[in-house]
Amino acid sequence: MIPELFDVLDRVEETQDTFTLTLRHGGAESEARRFYDALRPGQFNMVYVPGSGEVPISISAIPDSLDRVVHTIRSVGTVTEKLKRIGPGGRVGIRGPFGTAWPVDRASGKNVIVVAGGIGLAPLRPVIHELIANRSRYKQVMILYGARTPGELLFRNEIDDWTKRSDLSVTLTVDRADSQWNGHVGVVPRFIALFDFDPSESIALVCGPEIMMQFTVRALESKGMTDESIYVSMERNMKCGIRLCGHCQYGPHFICENGPVFAFSEIQNYFGIKEL
Ligand SMILES: Cc1cc2nc3c(=O)[nH]c(=O)nc-3n(C[C@H](O)[C@H](O)[C@H](O)COP(=O)(O)OP(=O)(O)OC[C@H]3O[C@@H](n4cnc5c(N)ncnc54)[C@H](O)[C@@H]3O)c2cc1C
Ligand code: FES
């Protein structure tokens, strides 16, 4: 339960309200190694700002050097507003890594469909890095990403690089275009219908607002995918992060321990129930 101190090395403004922090463990080498070796795409850390509190934040990159961790944060309230004011030279507390990871091993030899909405690209970005780094392990790799407006799309430079690759299919969409936008307009789930893939040889990884995930899962099911091959990342308010407080209970599951990444088949009975 005791946070470890991390130094903020870098800070990048992604959008008007979202920023990325690169952090380095400030403690002994053996403690740092334990932390870095445990990091998996899909997991989260509890990020602590002294005097304000702690928030769960997903890992948004695991750099090759393996002595950094990256978080992309949208400022929405008390703690994230404080984090917004921290830059290089500052320090935060970290507990983690916690929770389940995206099933990267299960995806090997399959088509991989990555579907993200808004800040939901942050938890999926380390998976995309993994897919690119070991591209020959996977069949088709399809990335579908949407945001409300062009200005809210994250990691634009990186997405441009992905779009240029002939071994990735990248589809971007916005709910509301502006005068500069000449790409797709429409909500993310609509575009699943355009994808051509063998559902029995595919795995889908989905992260975004719950309503977007709900319609995306339906669209993937109507393409013939099974609920065992569709993975979603769930969010609930958290306090302890280690299955002690009960804040994140979701049916029989605790999202901090049994999630945040679930096969849809594990949670389909609870998904979409209001206030659960
Ligand atoms: C497993 C997990 C991973 C997450 N990963 C990221 C991430 O990578 N980047 C990121 O920016 N955010 C992420 N979040 C959401 C982040 O934890 C919340 O935005 C944060 O806790 C808000 O805290 P606050 O003190 O800034 O806001 P508060 O003052 O607590 O609340 C501000 C507003 O946000 C709402 N809110 C608070 N917590 C949540 C929540 N968990 N889900 C939805 N609404 C909430 C409140 O109802 C309120 O309306 C993640 C959450 C979980 C559970
Ligand atoms: S956050 Fe306390 S039980 Fe999950």
Side-chain angles (χ1 to χ4, degrees):
M1 287 295 278
I2 300 172
E4 296 171 293
L5 279 179
F6 278 65
D7 297 306
V8 178
L9 299 184
D10 187 40
R11 175 199 166 86
V12 173
E13 304 304 320
E14 302 289 355
T15 68
Q16 222 169 22
D17 61 3
T18 304
F19 54 94
T20 295
L21 299 180
T22 301
L23 310 173
R24 185 175 57 201
H25 198 292
E29 176 64 30
S30 58
E31 285 302 302
R33 190 70 6 244
R34 178 206 64 78
F35 174 84
Y36 294 125
D37 287 349
L39 290 173
R40 298 285 177 274
Q43 291 187 300
F44 66 94
N45 287 316
M46 295 300 290
V47 181
Y48 172 58
V49 182
S52 292
E54 254 188 334
V55 285
I57 301 289
S58 301
I59 291 152
S60 85
I62 306 174
D64 286 342
S65 57
L66 282 181
D67 65 350
R68 307 274 192 281
V69 62
V70 180
H71 286 301
T72 299
I73 302 162
R74 173 171 290 162
S75 57
V76 295
T78 315
V79 179
T80 49
E81 277 295 331
K82 285 276 162 49
L83 280 166
K84 198 179 172 188
R85 287 181 226 144
I86 298 180
R91 288 183 133 187
V92 296
I94 295 275
R95 292 190 296 123
F98 295 135
T100 52
W102 296 108
V104 176
D105 290 342
R106 255 204 84 191
S108 186
K110 298 199 164 125
N111 302 312
V112 189
I113 304 149
V114 179
V115 188
I119 187 91
L121 185 58
L124 283 164
R125 186 169 68 147
V127 175
I128 298 172
H129 292 164
E130 156 66 28
L131 298 173
I132 290 172
N134 296 294
R135 184 63 192 85
S136 59
R137 283 194 200 150
Y138 310 96
K139 292 184 170 169
Q140 293 179 74
V141 174
M142 291 156 269
I143 300 168
L144 169 57
Y145 176 43
R148 279 178 299 190
T149 62
E152 288 168 85
L153 290 165
L154 298 177
F155 315 129
R156 286 303 291 273
N157 293 338
E158 219 173 313
I159 291 175
D160 285 347
D161 292 342
W162 300 342
T163 307
K164 285 180 199 139
R165 292 180 66 114
S166 58
D167 57 357
L168 300 179
S169 145
V170 180
T171 306
L172 289 184
T173 180
V174 295
D175 296 351
R176 290 190 306 280
D178 59 18
S179 56
Q180 313 291 318
W181 182 255
N182 54 15
H184 294 293
V185 178
V187 293
V188 164
R190 265 182 48 189
F191 293 88
I192 301 281
L194 303 180
F195 290 175
D196 186 17
F197 60 91
D198 175 353
S200 65
E201 291 286 304
S202 303
I203 197 159
L205 314 176
V206 185
C207 187
E210 249 170 77
I211 187 76
M212 168 250 159
M213 294 204 287
Q214 199 170 343
F215 283 98
T216 299
V217 169
R218 277 194 211 157
L220 291 165
E221 287 169 340
S222 65
K223 280 286 204 178
M225 287 194 74
T226 63
D227 293 338
E228 288 74 25
S229 57
I230 302 171
Y231 287 79
V232 296
S233 182
M234 299 298 295
E235 267 191 26
R236 282 297 178 274
N237 282 322
M238 288 188 183
K239 288 284 175 225
C240 70
I242 52 171
R243 203 192 185 165
L244 285 178
C245 71
H247 269 80
C248 69
Q249 186 161 4
Y250 187 61
H253 303 293
F254 291 87
I255 289 181
C256 63
E257 188 181 73
N258 310 120
V261 176
F262 292 95
F264 188 67
S265 52
E266 293 176 87
I267 56 161
Q268 60 187 343
N269 293 341
Y270 318 101
F271 196 80
I273 299 178
K274 279 198 177 134
E275 308 291 329
L276 187 67

